[in-house]
Amino acid sequence: MKTIIAACSQNLSGSRASIQTALRTLLAVPWPSQRDIRSALQLLAVLQWVLSFLLLGTVSLLLLIYLLFTGLWLVPVLYLAWIIFDWDTPEKGGRRLPCLRRWTVWKHFRDYFPVKLVKTHDLSPSHNYIIGSHPHGILCVGAFCNFITGSTGFEELFPGIRSFLTTLAGNFRLPVFREYLMSGGLCPVTRRAIGYLLSQKGTGNAVAIVIGGAAESLSCRPGVTTLILKNRKGFVRMALRHGAFLVPSFSFGENDLFRQVVFEEGSWMRSIQRRFQKMIGFAPCLFYGRGLTSSRSRGFLPYSRPITTVVGEPLAVPKVENPSRELVDRYHELYIRALLKLFNENKTKYGLAESDELHIL
C-alpha cells in the first residue's frame, strides 16, 4: 500500500510540475498587441465585404434552389413571393437602413486601406446632385466606402445631403444580395431609378455614378489614369432633365488595390471580355491581390493602399425637360474640364507626380 501511495504522490508531483511548466510557457508567449488586434479586425472587415460582393448573391440563389427540394421548401416559395411583391423597390429609392450604414465594421474597413474623403466645396441641401465617381477600379472601393458607409463622414462634411450609389441593375435580381445592397443606399444605374431619386424624394439627394463602368475596369492597373468618359453622356442628360448639379470626384489610389492581367485591344481574350460586358453588364477581369494570411502571398483581397476621394466643385445645371444634343455636349465638356482641374490640382498631394496626366477615352 505504501508503495502505491508513493507512486501516486510521485505522479501527482510530476503532473503539477508539467502543468506549471506549461503555464510558464503559455505566459511567456507574447499576447497580441492592440495593433495586431486592429489589423485582424480590419482584415476581417475587408474579407466579409469582398465575399459578400463576390459570393452572397450566387450562394443565396443556390441555397434557395436546394431548399425547394427539401422539407423547407416553403422558405424559398415565400421569399420568391416577397421578391415579386417588392420588385420595384430598388427603382424607387431602395430601402436604406441608417444603422447598417453606421455599422462599426465599416470603420475597420476604412482603416484597412485607409480611405479618406476630402471636401473642396459645399453642397447646398436645396439642390440635387449627380456625383461622377472616377475611376472605376476593380471593385469601386472608394465609391462604396465614401458614399454608402458613414465611416468617412460624408453626412458630417455635407450636412443635409443624402448620398446614394448606383450599380448594375442585375445585382438586384439576386436573392438576399438585393436586400444587402438596398440597405446601404445602393440603387440600379437605370434612368427610372436615378430619375426617381432626383424628382420624387425632394432635394438634398446626391446620386453617385461610377461613369466608366465595366469598360473602364478592363484598363485598371497601378500607375494608369485612363477614364472611359468621352462618349458617356447619359448622366449629363439626366442632370439636365432634372436640374441636378454635376459634381466631379476622383479617388486617388483606387487603381493600386489589385494587379490585373490586361489584354491588349484586338486580342481574342479582350474580345471575349467585351462580349461578356455587352451580354451581362460587367467584364470578367483576371486580377489578384494579397492573400488572407500574408500580404506577400497572392489572393483575392485588395492590397492596403491609401485611397483619397476628392469631391470637387458643383457645376450648376439648368432644368431642361428635353435637352438638345448641343446642350448635352456643352455641359459634358464643362464637366470634363472641371474633372481635369480637380485631378491636376490634387494629384501631387495624393501620390502622383506632376507629370502624370489624366487620359480620357
Side-chain angles (χ1 to χ4, degrees):
M1 178 64 70
K2 291 182 179 180
T3 304
I4 295 174
I5 294 174
C8 290
S9 299
Q10 186 175 1
N11 288 337
L12 289 173
S13 299
S15 298
R16 283 196 295 269
S18 299
I19 293 173
Q20 290 173 354
T21 301
L23 287 175
R24 282 196 294 269
T25 303
L26 181 63
L27 292 175
V29 175
W31 289 87
S33 64
Q34 290 186 349
R35 181 179 179 181
D36 293 334
I37 295 173
R38 284 196 302 269
S39 297
L41 291 174
Q42 292 166 12
L43 191 63
L44 289 174
V46 173
L47 176 64
Q48 67 82 25
W49 179 78
V50 172
L51 291 179
S52 296
F53 266 82
L54 295 181
L55 298 177
L56 180 58
T58 303
V59 171
S60 299
L61 178 61
L62 294 176
L63 178 60
L64 289 174
I65 293 174
Y66 168 75
L67 291 177
L68 276 174
F69 302 95
T70 68
L72 298 174
W73 60 269
L74 189 59
V75 173
V77 169
L78 290 175
Y79 186 72
L80 177 60
W82 161 253
I83 288 182
I84 294 173
F85 174 79
D86 196 54
W87 190 260
D88 288 336
T89 299
E91 302 276 355
K92 296 181 178 179
R95 192 165 37 243
R96 290 160 59 101
L97 296 178
C99 59
L100 288 184
R101 290 171 65 95
R102 295 193 296 267
W103 201 15
T104 304
V105 72
W106 300 131
K107 295 182 180 180
H108 298 303
F109 179 86
R110 171 201 65 195
D111 294 338
Y112 170 84
F113 297 95
V115 182
K116 181 181 179 182
L117 181 64
V118 176
K119 166 185 172 180
T120 61
H121 293 79
D122 291 328
L123 298 182
S124 171
S126 60
H127 299 289
N128 285 325
Y129 303 90
I130 290 181
I131 301 178
S133 179
H134 310 275
H136 182 284
I138 296 293
L139 295 178
C140 304
V141 172
F144 178 87
C145 191
N146 288 300
F147 303 127
I148 291 302
T149 78
S151 61
T152 56
F154 183 92
E155 294 180 353
E156 290 74 24
L157 288 173
F158 302 100
I161 304 297
R162 296 177 295 276
S163 61
F164 298 85
L165 179 64
T166 58
T167 185
L168 293 173
N171 289 329
F172 296 90
R173 306 295 179 252
L174 295 172
V176 181
F177 190 45
R178 69 191 295 273
E179 323 299 340
Y180 176 80
L181 295 177
M182 285 193 291
S183 67
L186 279 149
C187 297
V189 60
T190 62
R191 292 180 181 179
R192 183 184 176 192
I194 297 171
Y196 185 92
L197 293 172
L198 297 178
S199 63
Q200 303 296 319
K201 294 182 72 69
T203 59
N205 300 297
V207 183
I209 304 174
V210 187
I211 298 169
E216 194 171 276
S217 67
L218 295 178
S219 301
C220 169
R221 51 184 168 180
V224 176
T225 48
T226 300
L227 304 182
I228 305 297
L229 180 58
K230 191 169 292 185
N231 295 318
R232 301 290 176 98
K233 301 179 182 180
F235 73 102
V236 178
R237 189 176 299 277
M238 287 294 297
L240 285 164
R241 285 178 176 172
H242 298 282
F245 288 16
L246 289 169
V247 183
S249 72
F250 195 93
S251 294
F252 294 91
E254 181 73 45
N255 285 349
D256 298 332
L257 304 182
F258 293 96
R259 303 291 184 267
Q260 181 181 186
V261 179
V262 178
F263 301 100
E264 298 298 328
E265 291 291 345
S267 64
W268 66 275
M269 280 298 296
R270 188 70 160 198
S271 64
I272 291 176
Q273 289 177 316
R274 295 291 188 193
R275 289 176 185 176
F276 265 90
Q277 178 192 334
K278 291 179 180 179
M279 288 189 296
I280 58 180
F282 69 90
C285 302
L286 295 179
F287 66 90
Y288 65 89
R290 59 156 291 176
L292 181 61
T293 58
S294 171
S295 59
R296 297 180 181 179
S297 62
R298 291 188 179 183
F300 56 89
L301 296 179
Y303 292 107
S304 54
R305 303 287 188 269
I307 303 172
T308 304
T309 301
V310 184
V311 180
E313 181 179 3
L315 172 63
V317 174
K319 186 175 181 179
V320 182
E321 187 173 348
N322 294 304
S324 64
R325 179 180 295 182
E326 292 74 18
L327 189 62
V328 172
D329 290 344
R330 175 188 172 191
Y331 278 93
H332 185 261
E333 180 61 31
L334 290 174
Y335 176 84
I336 290 178
R337 290 180 186 176
L339 177 61
L340 288 171
K341 178 183 178 184
L342 178 72
F343 177 83
N344 290 324
E345 288 180 349
N346 292 277
K347 61 184 179 182
T348 57
K349 300 177 185 178
Y350 305 114
L352 297 179
E354 184 66 40
S355 58
D356 289 331
E357 297 182 354
L358 185 61
H359 303 283
I360 296 179
L361 302 179

